[in-house]
Amino acid sequence: RYSSMKDYLSELDKETKKALETFYGFSEGKSKVRRSVEEWNSTGSDLFKQIPLLKFEDFSKTATDLRSGQKRRVEGSVFHKDSSIVNSGDSNDIIGFQLCDANNSSECALYTFSSGVNAIQEWYKLHYMNIMAQIPLETKEKLSYSADDLLLTCFFDGLSCDKRHFTRFHHPLHGNCYTFNSGENGTVLSTSTAGSEYGLQVVLFIDEADYNPFLVTSTGAKIIVHDQNEYPFIEDIGTEIETAAVTSIGMHFTRSRKLSKPYSDCTETGADIPVENLYNKSYSLQICLHSCFQKAMVDSCGCAQYAQPLPAGAEYCNYKKNPNWMYCYYRLHEKFVKEQLGCQQICKDACSFKEWALTTSIAQWPSAVSEDWMLRVLSWDKGQKINKKLNKTDLANLMVFYKDLNERFISENPANTLVILLSNFGGQLGLWMSCSVVCVIEIVEVFFIDSLSIVMRRQWQKAKRWWNHRQQERLGKPPQ
Amino acid sequence: EEEKEEGLIEFYDSFKDMFEFFCKNTTIHGTIRLVCSGSNRMKTAFWTLLLLASFGMLYWQFGLMFSQYWAYPVVLTMSMHSEAKMFPAITICNLDPYRFDLVSGDLVQLDRMAEESIAFLYGINVSASILHLNDKNIHLKDLSNIGNLSRSSFKLSRNFSLLRMPDHNNRSGKKHFSVGFKLCNATGGNCFYKTYSSGMNAILEWYRFHYMNIMSQLPVIINISDHEEQIEDMVYSCQYDGEPCRPSDYVHFHHPVFGSCYTFNSKGTDPFWTATKPGIPYGLSLILRAEQKDHIPLLSTVAGVKVMIHNHNQTPFLEHEGFDIRPGIATTIGIQQDEVNRLGGNYGKCTTNGDDVNVKLLYNNSYTLQACLHSCFQHIMVRKCGCGYYYYPLPPGAEYCNYNKQPAWGHCFYQLYSRLRNHHLNCFDQCPKPCRESLYKVSAGTAKWPSSKSQDWVRQALRHQNGYNSTSNRKDIAKVTIFYQQLNYQSVDESPLLSENLLLSSMGSQWSLWFGSSVLSVVEMLELLIDTLVLSLLFCYQRFRSKKTLKVTHTPTIPS
């Protein structure tokens, strides 16, 4: 909720607006901008001084600082966030930012983006995480949307449902998210028949005016279909839904199961993997990778990255306490992407996983004729909290349902079990030698046990004879 | 006497004889050791143990094998086929149900009642938006005399009015209301409230309930084709494989919620619809009117067109698998076919054509699971409540529910429905899956259409040719292209993992592994068993006889 976050973010927003002005609005009259920026500098905090947005000409390594407006040489290596580096000529102004090691200021990394939009968003996100890391979780949950705000109507399997069927969890970047049928209170709802009437139908209230203009540039909602035990990685695999439309999502369910050792290198529960599961959910490869990275982050940077849960005894990074963390983070992230951290080697696939294949279709909603009565009824439902009449771009209708109740179950079976192995063995033995286990034992008996016993007996008799001979000799001697 | 018997059948003198003979002459490995090494007690014991152990092993393996066989495991084999095939059947609906002339008076009344309820509940006056539209009614000429009859008898019931009640389950201090309506059984007892947390859902459900009652007075068979609504009013342009569609290519029907629907290529026999090449230019391309001129605005709140891709001769259940098309958007839908063949029989429940299913299908199309479930529910509904649910077809002799005739049907229906949900009606057990199923995987992309530059001439062209007469800037046309992404389709076939052949061969292999013998040795063992039986019978007989003779000789001596 942007409006309630304003107090925390006002300085950052001011800075961003300034940057936009400098780079795009007043690219001709630099002197004028410089003055205004300097004015602001005198009053503003020095939080953002360390990592300003930079604009510099390609390859010349001279950068224009946002605050000073001066050109200066930039030391250090240049990292490009995208692969296509130059499209020669026309776009020689590149926006980026510089991260330096606090202890050793000569070691700097420069991040550049081919598009200013990406640069500003990435830069904003970086600062946003810093600010959010300082706010305790309870406050953040309060600042974000409540289930009452978000849900206008709810309908499941032909019956009415409400916010009690939803469980809240807080996502660092997306704010409060709600899970329907999370199974937290012990009951898992099931659907009786396929079809859109029997699925989940919700109308969501999306306050378009209350969006953070820099953090997210699209309006709508994000949904993800997952198992009760699975952690929803909403930033990675969410499906976005649109406002002023009904989105029907038909699902096909697939369950797969692999055989674990010795057939393949996968893990059943994740207990055999030396990475602590930071999420309170069942194991998945994604969870392992995130946990592994977070652990490496705590080990090498001394604090935890904001987008992932905290390991025991650690705290989130913010540049008041850890001025160095951003440089460290980007370095580490680069290593992680290049598979130098060893996370990809440690983490294994989960043996069983569930998958929902989604088919999405969109129709216009509400239709022009029904718009009037429906918006009024919904506004009334929403109650006295908001006095304005709802706009249709504030609403999103979502239907999630099974297209059919067929479940696809893919499982691996060992091609050779003990029974099959033995019968193959017996078949071959019978075909070529007309022989069986009994005859194998016979061979063993004749050639090993019997001959051995014969040899043994001979030896024994020999020894006995020799002993008798000796005894006799000894006995025979005294009489001699 | 004994000599005589021996002369008839030459037989062993004792068990030991028999056993020795068996051990020496049988083809089972190892038994001969029992006799040969008779002098060595230890060896005999060892071999006995060994034989017993391998016998045990054999039967353990047999047990595993049979338990595996009786579980009837199947293997799925996936194969790609690439033969020319028919384009699937396509059904499109305009989400705009008719106002039939016969019931329009009642519908106007219902709209007024809805308006009153909304005003009562929310204090909002919405009359303008609802009532200005009933200008276009569908008149059924040949049925007007029946209509007069039912019109006079039908009365909109005011017993089921929308109420607002406090939500008791709410723990927070805020006042929370849920909206719903009351349903009672025939005597007025056993009432319950059907409530919804949101007024929108409550109004929609309440409206649907009344709508079903009103529509039930319409005759079951409506000849829609002779009224003025033509395919040209909805489909402005239709092309398949670069050629215009022919007027005989579609079937028209009316769906109570989704409005008028057209099914293209419903039979799948016309060679015109053979799919020869994959790709967008060779698919079905339609320009549709998706006008938001809802005749019944409270029934559905969605605007657009519903498209469903299904098999030939299959009833399209649009509420289950329909794909929405937005007005003002060009949608390209790529399809890919998957075929599933199930084995049936012991390997899993399925039906080839629905003949062996207990439920009588009410749809006269090929069997599908959904059709069976709907039919099953309708049969139970007719049996329990005495009338049929309006959205499903009627069994012979029944009629649709109408609260003038069956005042308690709503009560009965909603209870039955919740029992279906909780799997208390055994419809799910009665309806097996079809053995052969075709699934169409759909993926879609969208673009704005017509573009702002081309908008003017597109509209102009449509106006000239199709009498399209929209002057407003509202988005009300849509373009759909449905095409095969690839012509080869995946078929997934079940085949038994363990056939009888395989079972026998692995049994033989096991036997030869543990005993080195064949079926004949099994017969030998059987022979041994029979011999033992006969011999013991013989001994018994002899003993009995000797006892009897003893008795006969002794009895006279006892009393004396």
Side-chain angles (χ1 to χ4, degrees), chain B residues 505-529:
Chain B
S505 103
S506 47
M507 264 170 78
S509 303
Q510 292 281 350
W511 206 300
S512 95
L513 176 65
W514 299 111
F515 287 121
S517 57
S518 67
V519 175
L520 293 180
S521 348
V522 181
V523 177
E524 277 169 21
M525 274 177 79
L526 271 178
E527 196 196 3
L528 176 73
L529 217 78

Side-chain angles (χ1 to χ4, degrees), chain A residues 171-225:
Chain A
H171 187 276
L173 291 177
H174 289 87
N176 279 354
C177 300
Y178 293 89
T179 311
F180 179 73
N181 195 17
S182 67
E184 204 158 75
N185 44 15
T187 50
V188 175
L189 300 171
S190 63
T191 173
S192 53
T193 342
S196 52
E197 300 168 49
Y198 310 99
L200 176 70
Q201 300 178 26
V202 285
V203 175
L204 301 175
F205 174 65
I206 285 148
D207 201 352
E208 204 183 6
D210 207 10
Y211 263 54
N212 190 323
F214 305 112
L215 196 63
V216 268
T217 48
S218 56
T219 46
K222 245 182 172 182
I223 75 141
I224 177 170
V225 179

Side-chain angles (χ1 to χ4, degrees), chain A residues 44-245:
Chain A
S45 74
D46 62 350
L47 259 182
F48 308 109
K49 272 183 191 167
Q50 290 174 3
I51 304 132
L53 268 174
L54 300 170
K55 172 180 170 183
F56 47 96
E57 274 101 63
D58 213 13
F59 295 130
S60 66
K61 289 198 174 176
T62 48
T64 313
D65 195 336
L66 160 69
R67 274 181 296 109
S68 57
Q70 288 164 347
K71 290 198 172 178
R72 64 173 185 194
R73 285 194 68 79
V74 178
E75 302 292 330
S77 47
V78 178
F79 292 94
H80 285 277
K81 271 283 184 178
D82 57 339
S83 54
S84 66
I85 299 175
V86 206
N87 347 356
S88 73
D90 50 334
S91 66
N92 51 1
D93 285 351
I94 286 186
I95 305 267
F97 51 86
Q98 187 186 27
L99 294 174
C100 287
D101 197 340
N103 309 324
N104 180 9
S105 58
S106 64
E107 247 185 67
C108 281
L110 205 60
Y111 291 90
T112 60
F113 303 85
S114 65
S115 156
V117 177
N118 289 344
I120 288 167
Q121 273 193 301
E122 186 79 3
W123 179 81
Y124 190 90
K125 216 165 112 179
L126 197 71
H127 287 288
Y128 181 77
M129 287 199 294
N130 274 312
I131 294 167
M132 292 305 283
Q134 300 166 31
I135 306 171
L137 183 68
E138 291 77 35
T139 328
K140 277 186 290 192
E141 280 187 354
K142 254 177 232 150
L143 288 174
S144 194
Y145 288 94
S146 71
D148 267 341
D149 292 335
L150 192 67
L151 292 170
L152 282 179
T153 75
C154 172
F155 205 59
F156 176 73
D157 203 7
L159 291 178
S160 180
C161 54
D162 57 27
K163 64 172 180 183
R164 279 163 298 187
H165 296 93
F166 287 83
T167 320
R168 177 174 63 191
F169 80 96
H170 190 84
H171 187 276
L173 291 177
H174 289 87
N176 279 354
C177 300
Y178 293 89
T179 311
F180 179 73
N181 195 17
S182 67
E184 204 158 75
N185 44 15
T187 50
V188 175
L189 300 171
S190 63
T191 173
S192 53
T193 342
S196 52
E197 300 168 49
Y198 310 99
L200 176 70
Q201 300 178 26
V202 285
V203 175
L204 301 175
F205 174 65
I206 285 148
D207 201 352
E208 204 183 6
D210 207 10
Y211 263 54
N212 190 323
F214 305 112
L215 196 63
V216 268
T217 48
S218 56
T219 46
K222 245 182 172 182
I223 75 141
I224 177 170
V225 179
H226 61 98
D227 187 56
Q228 272 85 14
N229 294 322
E230 224 174 283
Y231 184 81
F233 284 100
I234 201 140
E235 70 272 32
D236 295 350
I237 40 175
T239 309
E240 281 171 339
I241 63 171
E242 210 175 327
T243 55

Side-chain angles (χ1 to χ4, degrees), chain B residues 32 95 129 169 282 404 408 524 544:
Chain B
I32 196 158
L95 300 181
S129 65
N169 301 323
Y282 313 107
N404 283 342
E524 277 169 21
F544 182 70

Side-chain angles (χ1 to χ4, degrees), chain A residues 146 148 152-164 190-198 201 203 242-248 250 252 358-374 376-378 380-381 384-385 392 397 399 401-410 413 417-431 433-443 445-446 449-450, chain B residues 29-30 32-33 43 46-47 50-51 54 57 60-61 64-65 68 76 78 118 121-122 124-126 129-130 132-133 164 167 169-172 174 176-177 179 194-201 203-205 208 292-294 297-298 300-304 306 318-327 338 342 369-370 373-374 389 392 417 420-423 428 433 437 439-442 444 474-475 506 509-516:
Chain A
S146 71
D148 267 341
L152 282 179
T153 75
C154 172
F155 205 59
F156 176 73
D157 203 7
L159 291 178
S160 180
C161 54
D162 57 27
K163 64 172 180 183
R164 279 163 298 187
S190 63
T191 173
S192 53
T193 342
S196 52
E197 300 168 49
Y198 310 99
Q201 300 178 26
V203 175
E242 210 175 327
T243 55
V246 51
T247 311
S248 354
H252 265 297
L358 307 180
T359 314
T360 313
S361 68
I362 301 170
Q364 190 172 328
W365 176 89
S367 63
V369 206
S370 60
E371 189 181 326
D372 187 49
W373 76 266
M374 214 167 50
R376 281 167 191 236
V377 170
L378 284 176
W380 200 93
D381 266 346
Q384 285 74 33
K385 269 173 287 175
K392 75 173 173 184
N397 195 342
M399 294 190 213
F401 55 92
Y402 277 112
K403 284 179 94 174
D404 49 31
L405 287 182
N406 289 346
E407 174 187 319
R408 190 177 284 197
F409 180 44
I410 301 171
N413 277 321
T417 56
L418 183 68
V419 178
I420 293 169
L421 183 74
L422 280 177
S423 65
N424 282 345
F425 198 64
Q428 294 288 337
L429 218 60
L431 179 64
M433 291 169 70
S434 159
C435 192
S436 66
V437 166
V438 175
C439 100
V440 171
I441 292 171
E442 266 177 2
I443 291 168
E445 194 198 9
V446 171
I449 301 174
D450 282 3
Chain B
H29 290 192
I32 196 158
R33 298 265 147 178
K43 266 199 165 176
F46 170 70
W47 277 103
L50 204 71
L51 264 174
S54 58
M57 282 298 277
W60 175 53
Q61 295 291 323
L64 288 182
M65 228 181 287
Q68 210 177 12
L76 290 177
M78 241 186 235
I118 294 174
L121 288 173
Y122 300 104
I124 310 162
N125 196 8
V126 283
S129 65
I130 290 177
H132 74 283
L133 278 162
R164 191 191 307 154
D167 195 349
N169 301 323
N170 203 348
R171 281 181 210 88
S172 64
K174 275 180 272 176
H176 226 268
F177 289 106
V179 180
K194 190 133 182 67
T195 59
Y196 301 87
S197 62
S198 154
M200 196 186 87
N201 290 338
I203 290 170
L204 287 176
E205 187 71 36
R208 218 171 79 111
Q292 305 180 28
K293 204 176 80 180
D294 280 1
L298 276 158
S300 78
T301 54
V302 179
K306 230 171 174 104
L318 290 139
E319 60 272 42
H320 295 291
E321 284 194 67
F323 194 92
D324 291 324
I325 302 289
R326 243 174 140 176
D338 272 1
R342 296 194 178 83
L369 180 62
Q370 288 298 351
L373 285 177
H374 285 191
Y389 181 47
Y392 300 160
Y417 195 74
L420 176 79
R421 287 183 59 244
N422 301 332
H423 294 246
F428 288 95
K433 290 172 192 160
E437 245 184 322
L439 306 168
Y440 292 97
K441 271 196 260 173
V442 172
R474 226 159 59 185
K475 299 172 192 165
S506 47
S509 303
Q510 292 281 350
W511 206 300
S512 95
L513 176 65
W514 299 111
F515 287 121

